[in-house]
Amino acid sequence: MSSSLYFLFLATKSISEKNVMKLLLGTYPPTSKVYITDTVKTLLENSFVNFNSTIPIINSDGRLVGKISKVKLANWFLEKIFREEIIENTLYTPIDNTDLKIEQAKPVEVFDFTPETIVNLLHSKGDYEIYITHDGKLIGEFSLSSLLYISSWKSNVGIRIEELFVKELVSVEHEASITDILNNLSAPNEPELIGVTYAKNLVGLIMMEDLLQYLYNVTEDGGVVNKIKGSKPWVIAFPDFSFVYMDESVSKALRALKRTRDKKFLIVQNRREETLGYISVKDALLKVEDEITLKLSTQRIKER
């Protein structure tokens, strides 16, 4: 398969099922995929090349075996470090010889990929992307973030962010220890991102990709255990983040999401500049589902 943009020209039904339509849909070859026989080090190398929530795992003939959650990978790696089980041999151990959990993936065969597939992804729990296969072999991926580009999002101005479920932002102080991050990753409700505060003000965000890249860089330098145990959250945090006010429109949030690094999460504040939490691209898109349905039936999704 070419590494250029995939255009899948599919004959399918519109979501309303009023007529049969053809959908020209832009999907992308996976920017990150790892063989099950690859090493933990290779897995880490591939964990921060995009902002997907999972990493696809394939076997030797390219068939999708499953996926590994980035949150679970970061948690697993940090736990190994604090138990002092991370040694050079661990980094060069094949994934299938570790106790890393490979979760079941639910890919869609290329000729079964329809507008309904996208709507189902919107309503699914947790997933922000779906993997596309052909005869079981991984050939592409579709991310909900692509939907940000099907509209200018200047309608629906009456729908306010306060109507969304604003999620609590798990935060740690900038001078806290890395143990605080590990404790939050180990919580039953795994955080999608972690805030870093200074004097109770939000000063940065740690995406899973930031944390995994940091872990990878440290392992490259050597002295893993002592370096990571002595790390501070502010070293890992990315200080530049976008936000919207709680009383602003969902349309403005969707436009703001286009400007974020990950195209997935957006901080919500009140007019006193206090952080109230965050919303996800999925939360916002669900509020404009009718417009998405209409757009999918009339135009292709543009390149991200």
Side-chain angles (χ1 to χ4, degrees):
M1 280 292 191
S2 168
S3 61
S4 61
L5 177 66
Y6 281 75
F7 286 107
L8 308 176
F9 193 69
L10 309 177
T12 183
K13 290 183 179 180
S14 67
I15 295 174
S16 63
E17 296 189 347
K18 288 183 179 178
N19 55 12
V20 175
M21 47 79 76
K22 288 184 177 180
L23 174 67
L24 188 60
L25 182 66
T27 66
Y28 299 77
T31 50
S32 170
K33 59 183 178 180
V34 177
Y35 290 95
I36 195 167
T37 52
D38 282 337
T39 64
V40 171
K41 186 173 184 288
T42 301
L43 180 62
L44 279 176
E45 286 174 337
N46 282 270
S47 66
F48 48 84
V49 297
N50 62 34
F51 285 96
N52 287 350
S53 55
T54 60
I55 307 160
I57 306 298
I58 58 178
N59 62 18
S60 58
D61 65 357
R63 293 184 179 275
L64 186 64
V65 174
K67 60 185 180 180
I68 292 178
S69 157
K70 290 182 180 178
V71 176
K72 287 184 170 61
L73 173 60
N75 186 29
W76 177 85
F77 199 83
L78 279 171
E79 282 191 342
K80 292 284 185 186
I81 289 168
F82 279 87
R83 292 174 186 163
E84 300 194 0
E85 295 175 5
I86 287 289
I87 53 176
E88 188 172 339
N89 289 342
T90 305
L91 294 173
Y92 292 94
T93 301
I95 296 165
D96 55 351
N97 286 345
T98 71
D99 57 355
L100 255 172
K101 182 180 179 182
I102 299 177
E103 302 173 50
Q104 181 183 6
K106 296 179 181 178
V108 173
E109 276 288 305
V110 60
F111 294 112
D112 294 327
F113 193 81
T114 67
E116 286 88 347
T117 307
I118 297 172
V119 173
N120 290 338
L121 179 59
L122 264 179
H123 287 275
S124 68
K125 183 180 180 181
D127 293 327
Y128 290 91
E129 59 276 335
I130 192 166
Y131 295 114
I132 300 169
T133 55
H134 180 53
D135 292 334
K137 294 185 178 181
L138 182 64
I139 62 167
E141 62 185 34
F142 174 82
S143 170
L144 284 179
S145 299
S146 299
L147 293 176
L148 292 171
Y149 297 89
I150 67 173
S151 173
S152 60
W153 305 115
K154 292 183 179 178
S155 58
N156 295 299
V157 292
I159 306 175
R160 299 288 159 186
I161 293 168
E162 57 199 15
E163 297 178 39
L164 302 180
F165 174 63
V166 177
K167 302 174 184 176
E168 179 186 359
L169 178 65
V170 173
S171 299
V172 294
E173 273 291 319
H174 77 296
E175 281 290 346
S177 79
I178 205 82
T179 310
D180 293 295
I181 293 178
L182 175 58
N183 290 340
N184 284 312
L185 289 176
S186 303
N189 297 323
E190 296 173 341
E192 298 171 300
L193 69 165
I194 295 174
V196 176
T197 59
Y198 178 76
K200 297 185 179 179
N201 294 314
L202 185 66
V203 294
L205 293 175
I206 298 176
M207 306 288 184
M208 287 306 108
E209 292 74 20
D210 300 324
L211 178 56
L212 288 163
Q213 182 164 17
Y214 173 76
L215 294 173
Y216 174 76
N217 290 343
V218 172
T219 57
E220 281 286 273
D221 293 341
V224 178
V225 176
N226 290 333
K227 282 187 179 179
I228 292 180
K229 281 186 175 181
S231 299
K232 300 294 183 183
W234 63 266
V235 176
I236 307 170
F238 191 81
D240 189 15
F241 56 88
S242 299
F243 71 90
V244 287
Y245 293 116
M246 179 69 106
D247 58 2
E248 292 185 304
S249 69
V250 169
S251 295
K252 182 167 184 179
L254 287 165
R255 295 195 299 272
L257 276 160
K258 290 182 184 180
R259 300 191 296 271
T260 61
R261 282 195 303 151
D262 57 305
K263 312 289 188 290
K264 198 160 63 176
F265 302 121
L266 189 62
I267 296 299
V268 178
Q269 294 185 343
N270 60 25
R271 293 291 176 172
R272 297 188 298 275
E273 311 294 331
E274 297 167 332
T275 299
L276 303 176
Y278 71 98
I279 58 172
S280 73
V281 64
K282 182 179 292 190
D283 300 325
L285 288 170
L286 274 171
K287 280 293 181 182
V288 292
E289 184 179 333
D290 289 344
E291 184 174 349
I292 290 170
T293 300
L294 178 63
K295 292 291 183 180
L296 287 176
S297 67
T298 58
Q299 70 178 67
R300 69 175 174 84
I301 294 174
K302 298 176 183 177
E303 184 171 357
R304 286 176 284 181

